[in-house]
Amino acid sequence: MFELKPTINALMRSKLGAVLLILQLAITLAIVSNAVSIIQDRLTYLNKDTGYPEAEIFKFNALNFDKNLDLLQQVELDEQTLRDLNGVIDATAVSSVVLSGSGSSGGMQLKPEPQESKRVNMGYVTGDEHLLNTLGVKVSEGRDFTEADVVVIDESDARPSVIIVSRSLSDELFGQGKGLGETLYWGADPLTIVGIVDTMANQWPKSSFGTKTAMIPMIRVGNFQKFLVRTAPQDRAQVMRQIEELMLASHRERVISDVTGLDKKKARYDAKDVLMMRMLMTLIVVLVIVTALGVFGLSTFNISKRTKQIGTRRALGARKSAIVRYFVVENALICSVGLVLGGAAAVLLGQKLMNWYSVPALSYHFIATTAGLLLLMSLLSVLMPALRAANISPSIATRSV
Amino acid sequence: MFIHYIDLAWRSLRQTPLVTFLMILAIAIGIGVTMTTLSVYHMMSMDPIPHKSERLFSLQLQTMDDGETWLTPDDIPYQLTYTDAINLDAFPGDYLSAPMLRSGFSVHLNTASSKPFIENTRVTGRDFFTMFDLTFLHGNVWTEEQERDAAPVVVIDEEMAKQLFGKTDVVGESVFLGERRHEVVGVTQKWRPTIKFYDLNNGSFGKAERMFAPFSHVKAYDVDTWGNTNGWKFEETRDFNDKMNSEMLWVQFWVQLDTPQQRQAYGDMLMAYMQQQQKLGRFNRETLQYSLQDVNAWMNYNDVISEDNKILVGLSFMFLAVCVANILGLLLAKFMRRAPDVGVRRALGASKRQVFYQHLVEVGVLGLLGGSLGVLFAQLGLLGVRQTYNYYAGLANMDWMMLLSAPALAISACILAGLYPAWLVCRTTPATHLKVQ
């Protein structure tokens, strides 16, 4: 009933147009399915929970240049000033800022250096007993740091003896669900795990070890000091505005810089991925438009070329629906060939991309979904010219061109 | 004749406004997308210092023990130890070399009205300015004595001089780096290479520093790096002195070698140096290894062009192929429809070659129009890039080369698409069409 044979015969007589359409659809399918797969991968990462209430937290730096300043005393004074501030929930001086893309990383291992043992890469942050509360995370096992855990480096030879780690770090080192109370080694120093936090990203959430994080109760003051502050979400903007003045009022000879929300810090860290996503989305949209225009243009041309034949068919008794069906079937045939070829091209392109770059494997359902949508788009684009063809008057058959 | 063909092309394009519009739109979108990604790629891969990029070398030494691996493809660390940088810079020889690192200070004028600000600073040797082509507007680089004695001097650029003093000729003025008073000995012309090729460790497209201080300050004033410090073995470092004597890697080193002889001699010296250091218990290796890479090789080694960008360039060229296929189809339709006219022209004496040529001119005009519109689309695309990712602000631009290549690419793409339809139409036999008419 679809008159497949005459349709195919007609196609074989003017191959080039069909070949061009097949080519367009195949490349479109290959590009779009791979682009969608990459977008999906980035979206999964961007939507991943970091564990922190990013909209409540902000950071800033203080660079001191007064040689005579007692740095430790100043840091403690600053922390107290911040905590006393209206709207502030907690504040602490930190060694680096999570989600920011910069800070310290290293390996935690099962045995002390220089012994060989299992070693897991992680990002670590040092601070005092307010660290977890300021970051808005809670231990799900064990306990938080206490004042007694905190060690000030440079005052004595004391070393921290306890550590709080993310679940993914303890799982990797000690096995699923274990780790609390175990001892790991940071260089040659033993540290006992007193608490485990379920979700807690480190400074490089995008990296392969982005979820492996350690919090160490240690203060090492320097001329360049970073601070983290957590407020109620509605108070953050107003607290951030006061920071510079407040800090300079307490000590003038320093520079306060980069007063930035943690959400913004993360957005900056992720800007490259957002850019890639937007570029790919733009590419998909314009590609689909161009392909649709191609289908539309070519069908229009085919129909105008066959005006006389259509008129003849109509004069010989073909219904309007038969004419529409003819063009739709023709298009569906072309489209299927294009999509089958495109499916193969998509798989091939996906493999190449995966070999050359750090792109996830292309799963087949992306190809299938894209192919389905492309078929739909193609049929929609052919519908209008086909309906116009159906309206060709049979009398045209009797006229010359 | 060419003018006449252009006139014909114009008439023909106006005859079928819808198809013409579709074709121009297709090529413009294709060019717009391709040029957006290609412009960023072009800026990322451009030789930042073309006239001497082959003579400037970044030095790497394999300081790690046998068996240790690094993140680099050849396992040689990116940076040097402080010890090696100092020793190598003191090598005698008629070449230029500069150890360097990125640091920063709070800068102010020590007056009530001057608000301190943080300024990134390149801490480096005297040769840096000659090697990387910085021009002095006033004064000059610090002297050898000043370098040796770690005299409190700095070189700043014109922009910073204006910011601090409101004028550029500020040689002899004092600026404060933290609590320390420094004398400005030179003011350089503004220097902002798009790619920060001399320091790819701290973001390839970061802004170049506006302030420069002698490398001897590192030791004299405990100036630590604001860039990466990498260790490969466990070392107890309690203070900055320990760090300077450690095997930690935190200093960058560039050398300018003008001739192959110099390169050879320098390589020999490096080998001799490593052997001598081996006697002191360092470089515990079977085979000693160093690496000298010129500017372009160094950028390649450091993956300056992002993976995402390479993927996008590839995909957008595939997209352009779709556009070409699209236009090919439309051109085919359009030209074949005109076959009767062509039949008449052929009958009246036009040669096949002339008909072919005429149609290619028409396609070329199409490409030019599409390409021009495509440049506009690309500008929009680049604006989007700059807005999404501020860090690419210096890269997401079209230079004159890209501006010219956009229409060139569009015309070539259109001619590629038009070849076959034009060939088909010029083969039209006059008789068939004359008969039907």
Short mmCIF file of all heavy atoms in Angstrom, two decimals, chain B residues 279-311:
data_model
loop_
_atom_site.label_atom_id
_atom_site.label_comp_id
_atom_site.label_asym_id
_atom_site.label_seq_id
_atom_site.Cartn_x
_atom_site.Cartn_y
_atom_site.Cartn_z
N LYS B 279 77.75 13.54 41.99
CA LYS B 279 78.79 13.28 43.01
C LYS B 279 78.35 13.82 44.36
O LYS B 279 78.79 13.37 45.40
CB LYS B 279 80.11 13.93 42.59
CG LYS B 279 80.69 13.25 41.36
CD LYS B 279 82.13 13.66 41.09
CE LYS B 279 82.60 13.15 39.76
NZ LYS B 279 82.65 14.19 38.72
N LEU B 280 77.45 14.83 44.33
CA LEU B 280 76.94 15.39 45.59
C LEU B 280 75.73 14.62 46.10
O LEU B 280 75.06 15.05 47.03
CB LEU B 280 76.56 16.86 45.37
CG LEU B 280 77.67 17.78 44.87
CD1 LEU B 280 77.12 19.16 44.55
CD2 LEU B 280 78.78 17.89 45.93
N GLY B 281 75.40 13.52 45.44
CA GLY B 281 74.31 12.69 45.93
C GLY B 281 72.95 12.99 45.30
O GLY B 281 71.94 12.44 45.73
N ARG B 282 72.92 13.86 44.31
CA ARG B 282 71.63 14.13 43.66
C ARG B 282 71.57 13.35 42.34
O ARG B 282 72.50 12.66 41.98
CB ARG B 282 71.49 15.63 43.41
CG ARG B 282 71.55 16.45 44.69
CD ARG B 282 71.37 17.92 44.41
NE ARG B 282 70.09 18.19 43.79
CZ ARG B 282 69.92 19.07 42.81
NH1 ARG B 282 70.93 19.75 42.34
NH2 ARG B 282 68.73 19.27 42.30
N PHE B 283 70.49 13.50 41.61
CA PHE B 283 70.31 12.84 40.30
C PHE B 283 70.66 11.35 40.38
O PHE B 283 71.54 10.87 39.68
CB PHE B 283 71.16 13.52 39.22
CG PHE B 283 70.72 14.92 38.91
CD1 PHE B 283 71.29 16.00 39.57
CD2 PHE B 283 69.73 15.15 37.97
CE1 PHE B 283 70.87 17.30 39.30
CE2 PHE B 283 69.31 16.46 37.68
CZ PHE B 283 69.89 17.52 38.35
N ASN B 284 69.97 10.63 41.25
CA ASN B 284 70.23 9.19 41.39
C ASN B 284 69.59 8.43 40.24
O ASN B 284 68.53 7.83 40.37
CB ASN B 284 69.67 8.69 42.72
CG ASN B 284 70.38 9.36 43.87
OD1 ASN B 284 71.60 9.42 43.90
ND2 ASN B 284 69.61 9.88 44.80
N ARG B 285 70.27 8.48 39.09
CA ARG B 285 69.68 7.87 37.90
C ARG B 285 70.72 7.14 37.08
O ARG B 285 71.90 7.46 37.13
CB ARG B 285 69.07 8.96 37.00
CG ARG B 285 68.06 9.85 37.69
CD ARG B 285 67.46 10.78 36.68
NE ARG B 285 66.90 10.05 35.55
CZ ARG B 285 65.73 9.46 35.58
NH1 ARG B 285 64.99 9.51 36.65
NH2 ARG B 285 65.30 8.79 34.52
N GLU B 286 70.24 6.15 36.34
CA GLU B 286 71.10 5.45 35.38
C GLU B 286 71.50 6.40 34.27
O GLU B 286 72.66 6.61 33.97
CB GLU B 286 70.32 4.26 34.78
CG GLU B 286 70.19 3.08 35.72
CD GLU B 286 71.43 2.20 35.68
OE1 GLU B 286 71.89 1.91 34.57
OE2 GLU B 286 71.93 1.86 36.76
N THR B 287 70.46 6.96 33.62
CA THR B 287 70.73 7.85 32.50
C THR B 287 70.29 9.27 32.88
O THR B 287 69.18 9.48 33.36
CB THR B 287 69.92 7.44 31.26
OG1 THR B 287 68.58 7.19 31.67
CG2 THR B 287 70.48 6.20 30.61
N LEU B 288 71.19 10.21 32.65
CA LEU B 288 70.87 11.61 32.93
C LEU B 288 70.05 12.15 31.77
O LEU B 288 70.28 11.80 30.62
CB LEU B 288 72.15 12.41 33.11
CG LEU B 288 72.96 11.97 34.33
CD1 LEU B 288 74.34 12.59 34.31
CD2 LEU B 288 72.22 12.34 35.61
N GLN B 289 69.10 13.02 32.09
CA GLN B 289 68.19 13.47 31.05
C GLN B 289 67.83 14.93 31.26
O GLN B 289 67.57 15.36 32.38
CB GLN B 289 66.92 12.60 31.14
CG GLN B 289 66.18 12.47 29.84
CD GLN B 289 64.90 11.69 30.04
OE1 GLN B 289 64.64 11.14 31.12
NE2 GLN B 289 64.08 11.65 29.02
N TYR B 290 67.87 15.68 30.18
CA TYR B 290 67.36 17.06 30.24
C TYR B 290 66.48 17.27 29.03
O TYR B 290 66.44 16.44 28.11
CB TYR B 290 68.51 18.07 30.24
CG TYR B 290 69.28 18.15 28.95
CD1 TYR B 290 68.85 19.00 27.93
CD2 TYR B 290 70.42 17.36 28.72
CE1 TYR B 290 69.55 19.05 26.73
CE2 TYR B 290 71.11 17.42 27.54
CZ TYR B 290 70.67 18.27 26.54
OH TYR B 290 71.33 18.33 25.34
N SER B 291 65.76 18.36 28.99
CA SER B 291 64.91 18.65 27.84
C SER B 291 64.90 20.15 27.60
O SER B 291 64.72 20.93 28.53
CB SER B 291 63.50 18.13 28.11
OG SER B 291 62.62 18.62 27.14
N LEU B 292 65.16 20.53 26.35
CA LEU B 292 65.09 21.94 25.96
C LEU B 292 64.01 22.03 24.88
O LEU B 292 64.16 21.46 23.81
CB LEU B 292 66.42 22.42 25.38
CG LEU B 292 67.56 22.68 26.36
CD1 LEU B 292 68.85 22.90 25.60
CD2 LEU B 292 67.26 23.90 27.23
N GLN B 293 62.91 22.71 25.17
CA GLN B 293 61.85 22.80 24.17
C GLN B 293 61.63 24.25 23.80
O GLN B 293 61.52 25.11 24.66
CB GLN B 293 60.56 22.21 24.73
CG GLN B 293 60.73 20.77 25.15
CD GLN B 293 59.40 20.06 25.27
OE1 GLN B 293 58.69 19.90 24.29
NE2 GLN B 293 59.06 19.64 26.46
N ASP B 294 61.53 24.51 22.50
CA ASP B 294 61.29 25.90 22.09
C ASP B 294 59.84 26.29 22.36
O ASP B 294 59.04 25.46 22.79
CB ASP B 294 61.73 26.13 20.64
CG ASP B 294 60.80 25.49 19.64
OD1 ASP B 294 59.70 25.06 20.02
OD2 ASP B 294 61.18 25.41 18.46
N VAL B 295 59.52 27.56 22.11
CA VAL B 295 58.24 28.10 22.55
C VAL B 295 57.06 27.27 22.05
O VAL B 295 56.18 26.88 22.83
CB VAL B 295 58.09 29.57 22.09
CG1 VAL B 295 56.69 30.09 22.38
CG2 VAL B 295 59.12 30.44 22.79
N ASN B 296 57.05 26.96 20.74
CA ASN B 296 55.90 26.23 20.20
C ASN B 296 55.82 24.80 20.72
O ASN B 296 54.73 24.31 21.03
CB ASN B 296 55.92 26.26 18.68
CG ASN B 296 55.57 27.64 18.17
OD1 ASN B 296 54.57 28.24 18.57
ND2 ASN B 296 56.42 28.19 17.32
N ALA B 297 56.98 24.16 20.83
CA ALA B 297 57.00 22.81 21.37
C ALA B 297 56.52 22.82 22.83
O ALA B 297 55.77 21.95 23.27
CB ALA B 297 58.40 22.22 21.29
N TRP B 298 56.94 23.85 23.55
CA TRP B 298 56.56 23.98 24.96
C TRP B 298 55.06 24.16 25.12
O TRP B 298 54.44 23.57 26.00
CB TRP B 298 57.32 25.15 25.58
CG TRP B 298 57.15 25.32 27.06
CD1 TRP B 298 56.62 26.41 27.69
CD2 TRP B 298 57.53 24.40 28.08
NE1 TRP B 298 56.64 26.23 29.04
CE2 TRP B 298 57.18 24.99 29.31
CE3 TRP B 298 58.09 23.14 28.08
CZ2 TRP B 298 57.41 24.37 30.54
CZ3 TRP B 298 58.30 22.51 29.31
CH2 TRP B 298 57.97 23.12 30.51
N MET B 299 54.45 24.96 24.23
CA MET B 299 53.00 25.18 24.30
C MET B 299 52.26 23.88 23.99
O MET B 299 51.25 23.55 24.60
CB MET B 299 52.57 26.27 23.33
CG MET B 299 53.14 27.64 23.70
SD MET B 299 52.18 29.03 23.12
CE MET B 299 51.89 28.61 21.44
N ASN B 300 52.79 23.15 23.03
CA ASN B 300 52.20 21.88 22.65
C ASN B 300 52.29 20.88 23.81
O ASN B 300 51.33 20.20 24.16
CB ASN B 300 52.96 21.36 21.43
CG ASN B 300 52.18 20.34 20.68
OD1 ASN B 300 50.98 20.19 20.92
ND2 ASN B 300 52.83 19.62 19.80
N TYR B 301 53.47 20.83 24.42
CA TYR B 301 53.76 19.94 25.54
C TYR B 301 52.85 20.22 26.73
O TYR B 301 52.46 19.34 27.47
CB TYR B 301 55.23 20.15 25.91
CG TYR B 301 55.81 19.28 26.99
CD1 TYR B 301 56.23 17.98 26.72
CD2 TYR B 301 56.00 19.77 28.27
CE1 TYR B 301 56.81 17.21 27.70
CE2 TYR B 301 56.58 19.00 29.26
CZ TYR B 301 56.99 17.72 28.97
OH TYR B 301 57.57 16.95 29.94
N ASN B 302 52.51 21.50 26.88
CA ASN B 302 51.66 21.90 28.02
C ASN B 302 50.17 21.91 27.68
O ASN B 302 49.36 22.42 28.45
CB ASN B 302 52.07 23.29 28.52
CG ASN B 302 53.26 23.21 29.44
OD1 ASN B 302 53.14 23.00 30.63
ND2 ASN B 302 54.45 23.36 28.86
N ASP B 303 49.81 21.35 26.51
CA ASP B 303 48.40 21.28 26.10
C ASP B 303 47.69 22.62 26.22
O ASP B 303 46.64 22.73 26.84
CB ASP B 303 47.63 20.25 26.94
CG ASP B 303 48.08 18.84 26.61
OD1 ASP B 303 48.38 18.60 25.43
OD2 ASP B 303 48.15 18.01 27.53
N VAL B 304 48.27 23.65 25.60
CA VAL B 304 47.67 24.98 25.70
C VAL B 304 46.29 25.00 25.07
O VAL B 304 45.36 25.62 25.58
CB VAL B 304 48.60 26.02 25.04
CG1 VAL B 304 47.87 27.32 24.79
CG2 VAL B 304 49.80 26.27 25.93
N ILE B 305 46.15 24.30 23.93
CA ILE B 305 44.83 24.26 23.29
C ILE B 305 43.98 23.24 24.03
O ILE B 305 44.36 22.09 24.16
CB ILE B 305 44.95 23.86 21.82
CG1 ILE B 305 45.88 24.83 21.10
CG2 ILE B 305 43.59 23.83 21.16
CD1 ILE B 305 46.22 24.41 19.71
N SER B 306 42.83 23.68 24.52
CA SER B 306 42.04 22.79 25.35
C SER B 306 41.39 21.71 24.49
O SER B 306 41.12 21.90 23.32
CB SER B 306 40.97 23.57 26.10
OG SER B 306 39.91 23.87 25.23
N GLU B 307 41.16 20.59 25.14
CA GLU B 307 40.54 19.46 24.49
C GLU B 307 39.16 19.84 23.94
O GLU B 307 38.82 19.51 22.82
CB GLU B 307 40.38 18.39 25.56
CG GLU B 307 40.52 17.02 25.08
CD GLU B 307 40.49 16.06 26.25
OE1 GLU B 307 39.47 16.00 26.95
OE2 GLU B 307 41.50 15.38 26.46
N ASP B 308 38.40 20.55 24.76
CA ASP B 308 37.06 20.97 24.35
C ASP B 308 37.13 21.74 23.04
O ASP B 308 36.30 21.57 22.16
CB ASP B 308 36.43 21.87 25.43
CG ASP B 308 35.90 21.07 26.59
OD1 ASP B 308 35.99 19.83 26.52
OD2 ASP B 308 35.41 21.67 27.55
N ASN B 309 38.13 22.59 22.94
CA ASN B 309 38.23 23.40 21.73
C ASN B 309 38.53 22.56 20.51
O ASN B 309 37.97 22.78 19.43
CB ASN B 309 39.31 24.46 21.93
CG ASN B 309 39.13 25.59 20.95
OD1 ASN B 309 39.78 25.61 19.92
ND2 ASN B 309 38.21 26.48 21.23
N LYS B 310 39.39 21.55 20.69
CA LYS B 310 39.68 20.68 19.55
C LYS B 310 38.42 19.94 19.10
O LYS B 310 38.16 19.83 17.92
CB LYS B 310 40.77 19.67 19.94
CG LYS B 310 42.14 20.29 20.07
CD LYS B 310 43.17 19.22 20.43
CE LYS B 310 44.47 19.84 20.85
NZ LYS B 310 45.36 18.88 21.49
N ILE B 311 37.65 19.45 20.08
CA ILE B 311 36.41 18.74 19.74
C ILE B 311 35.48 19.68 18.98
O ILE B 311 34.91 19.33 17.95
CB ILE B 311 35.72 18.22 21.03
CG1 ILE B 311 36.58 17.17 21.70
CG2 ILE B 311 34.34 17.67 20.71
CD1 ILE B 311 36.02 16.64 23.00
#
